[in-house]
Amino acid sequence: MTSCFIRPAPFSAFSFARCALALILASGHLGHAAFAAPAPIVLTGSDRRPATSLNGEWASIVDPYFSGLFSFHHEEKKNGFFMNYKAKPGDPFPTEYDFSKAPKLKVPGDWNTQRESLMYYEGPIWYEKDFIFEPKPNTHVFLHVGAANYHSWFWVNGQKVCEHEGGFTAFNCEVTQAIHSGNNFVIAAVDNTRHEDGVPGLETDWWNYGGLTREVSLIEVPESFIDQYDLHLSRNEDSGIEGWLHVVGAQPGEKAEVEIPDLHAKTTADIGADGRAALHFKVQGLDRWTPDSPKLYKVAIRVGSDSIDELMGFRTIETHGTEILLNGKPIFLRGISIHAEAPYRTGRAYSDKDAEILLGWAKELGCNFVRLAHYPHDETMLRAADRLGLLVWSENPVYWALEFDNPKVLAKAEQQLGEEINTSRNHAAIVLWSMANETPNTSPRTQFIETLATRARGLDPTRLITAALLVRAQGKIKIVDDPLGKALDVIGINEYIGWYEGHPDSADTAEWQIAYQKPVIVSEFGAGAKAGLHGGENERWTEEYQANVYRHQLPMLNKISQLSGMSPWCLMDFRSPNRPLVGIQDEFNRKGLISDQGKKKLAFSVLEKAYKDKTIGKAD
Ligand code: GCU
């Protein structure tokens, strides 16, 4: 937030105007035409639609005071950066920006790792891109944004098209009225400033990478188009596929059609007045999706002249007592936790290559499961998990302390949860929606997350709801009785015996008291190690110490009767502002089993052996 209140006199009209406007704008309530715009929408499977990519180099202006948001000459609005105004001789006012001369930033990509001067930058940056587009008659055109961290505003040809808060979910802005045939330009303002009332809040143990961190494109759809759909295998009817789809602008009498050519299966359904069609049909000879055989089917979804060619697997997931059942059979989730940190180049991961490397390492480790922490990951990662056969824990960024008693914050968390589920609901790989990570056991917190869990169940009753809970330690007794556990199908537990608590061998005598007869996933444990640093197994930061922690953890965890899975912290070292230890951390969390430069640490093989020999967890 621009520092309005600390500036002593002389206090010019200019800075007063700027502060007042920035304050109003920050509150998002400026009714000014330049700032009013419809809310963006969610498009399920948007990555399966043909699109005009806007990826590549964008002009950029770093604007710490957000000066570009307002203009002196309201009637002309010429020098708000969103107007992309080109100065002309004789103009009655100075134009103090010019995107055509501005340095470039790559999209997708965080700005922090693209320019040294931006590594620590938190604030607004403007992006501008020129593009040529020929809209077809009777269509809608959407500006699709895979993600923009954290708060973002978009204009096309000077017209505001949308605003979005939340750094890890996709959104689509209608630009049909703003776009025209031929030359166009799009301008985005992206601000990664952290806020107390944000989701996540002020504190995270990951780098606050800012920018247009995922793909940006234009998606054109017919007048009546499918915005959301859900298809899944029924839990109650063998080989029954069910779901629904929703059409915007459905024409009277239009029917929904779903076809799975490889199964010679086809169904049609009427579309109701609310644009919704219920889908249900039986299939023969379906190969269910499993980690060992991640079978994906081409699925054609059509309404009128709109169609989406999906590629998806079909499986069921449920719990039975303390077991997790995949396709009706108990399964032990041999997992690892992963941040969306790009291997080798570091920065926010977004590409197929990033996903192939990260998930490739997880497969090498012997995993059938990954916890994608602490925010919804990119569709490229989820498509790769579908393809490679990795079950996924997907998480809403309700992390550590938030303003749990602030209804506005709850609304933001619900919005992000809705975007996450409605965008990614058709991935066979995703089996768990996680509501939160390590939140304080207070009643406002519990109510807040219970509300999210209810919403998630309402949006998607086919998957399991979880959250990562903290442990209460009384000496060697480890107690898990957080009341939030009542609202969950699966209990996630984060514990750091041997690192933040005790010594590696403290695990040998630990006794667990878990208040829930539900499946338990130990969603975090681990230790820091600098790759290549060697020494005694009780010497912190050495690879031997980290391996020693794993060797003591695994037999301890095997004693937990409800144990149905685990996702140690974590696969690869990742950048974090909380990790300043020079020569060891250098602003990286070093709990990875692999360094950010791909160097495997000793603990990698300790876990790999346990997973491949299946000495951890119940045999499945
Ligand atoms: C926490 C937290 C992680 C963090 C880890 C650590 O449990 O959930 O986000 O990185 O501990 O301290 O390394």
Side-chain angles (χ1 to χ4, degrees), residues 205 374 399 437-438 496 500 524 569 574 579 589 591:
D205 189 30
H374 291 295
Y399 180 89
N437 179 71
E438 292 192 354
Y496 280 91
Y500 293 127
E524 288 186 35
W569 194 262
F574 60 94
R579 312 294 169 175
N589 182 312
K591 294 193 180 71

Side-chain angles (χ1 to χ4, degrees), residues 251-273:
Q251 306 304 315
E254 237 172 10
K255 285 196 176 302
E257 200 179 85
V258 175
E259 185 178 5
I260 310 180
D262 293 357
L263 296 173
H264 311 293
K266 196 173 185 170
T267 185
T268 60
D270 296 329
I271 299 169

